[in-house]
Amino acid sequence: MHMLMVKEISVQELIEKANEFNNKDGYGDIRWHFIGKLQRNKVNNLLGAPNLECIQTVESIKLATAINSSCQKKLQPDAKLKVFAQVNSSGEEAKSGCEPSECSELVRHIITQCDCLHFEGLMTIGSFSHDYSAGPNPDFECLVRCRDQLESDLELKKEDIKLSMGMSNDYQQAILAGATTVRVGSTIFGQREVKK
């Protein structure tokens, strides 16, 4: 189980934070995961962040291809950047991610066409309004089904497909549903200020 101390963040914010901590003694081993909306024209900037380990919000084949192309230019030979395929498990228009039915196609592309990327697993934000008194979160169940479909379609091992789901308000339910990575930034850093 991995707990990430993250908040959704912009590319510029992550670069600033990564540089700030990279220049402080005793913080050189921090590994950064980017979670946020990533536009293809910002990929080169993001890859300049010190100790960037993973991008958890790869939502399309076009974005995966753009990240891979930038990695070919910026990473050391044989280095790979970890990525999660983001799935829009709730079907909300405001949420990013591929449709669950497109998940296998996206992951197949990452594995077979993106030699600088290492597929880590699947990620979802999920609906914020689920009432757990009504039962398990269907968005988490959807991501588990996507993982099972990958296991079948691409002959991957279930244990090799991490599931990043759950945040400060629902990480316990996410763990019960099968999460291997939860994101608990608000619990640690406090609520994020809403930009005006």
Side-chain angles (χ1 to χ4, degrees):
M1 169 61 61
H2 295 89
M3 286 189 126
L4 296 177
M5 297 177 284
V6 297
K7 291 181 146 193
E8 187 170 330
I9 194 167
S10 72
V11 169
Q12 190 57 41
E13 285 176 294
L14 186 131
I15 292 168
E16 288 170 6
K17 293 276 185 214
N19 279 310
E20 177 185 337
F21 280 95
N22 195 47
N23 293 326
K24 291 183 179 181
D25 289 338
Y27 293 98
D29 60 349
I30 292 176
R31 297 294 172 255
W32 297 92
H33 283 226
F34 179 77
I35 297 177
K37 180 73 174 163
L38 180 58
Q39 298 170 333
R40 291 192 308 262
N41 65 348
K42 301 285 187 188
V43 170
N44 275 333
N45 292 344
L46 177 60
L47 292 180
N51 298 329
L52 178 68
E53 180 180 59
C54 183
I55 298 175
Q56 285 207 23
T57 48
V58 179
E59 63 179 1
S60 69
I61 288 173
K62 286 182 179 180
L63 181 57
T65 300
I67 295 168
N68 189 65
S69 294
S70 290
C71 286
Q72 288 171 338
K73 298 170 193 158
K74 292 192 168 255
L75 296 184
Q76 299 293 324
D78 299 323
K80 290 187 179 257
L81 178 68
K82 297 176 184 178
V83 296
F84 282 74
Q86 183 177 6
V87 179
N88 184 345
S89 59
S90 65
E92 297 171 87
E93 285 186 27
K95 299 275 174 60
S96 297
C98 70
E99 296 295 321
S101 62
E102 299 168 345
C103 183
S104 290
E105 181 183 8
L106 173 56
V107 173
R108 179 180 286 114
H109 178 79
I110 291 168
I111 291 171
T112 64
Q113 303 299 314
C114 299
D115 57 343
C116 290
L117 304 183
H118 175 76
F119 172 69
E120 281 285 292
L122 302 174
M123 180 270 207
T124 193
I125 300 294
S127 174
F128 298 127
S129 61
H130 179 69
D131 177 5
Y132 283 98
S133 68
N137 189 323
D139 299 331
F140 297 163
E141 292 176 326
C142 176
L143 202 67
V144 170
R145 285 193 302 275
C146 287
R147 182 201 56 203
D148 294 345
Q149 192 65 50
L150 287 180
E151 184 182 19
S152 171
D153 290 350
L154 304 181
E155 298 180 0
L156 298 174
K157 294 179 183 174
K158 187 180 292 188
E159 59 269 19
D160 292 338
I161 306 169
K162 294 178 181 170
L163 296 180
S164 176
M165 55 189 190
M167 295 183 282
S168 294
N169 64 326
D170 61 0
Y171 73 90
Q172 293 168 322
Q173 292 86 359
I175 292 168
L176 290 173
T180 58
T181 302
V182 294
R183 306 172 305 263
V184 292
S186 295
T187 297
I188 294 165
F189 299 114
Q191 291 296 321
R192 188 173 181 83
E193 290 182 29
V194 178
K195 290 182 181 178
K196 295 178 181 176

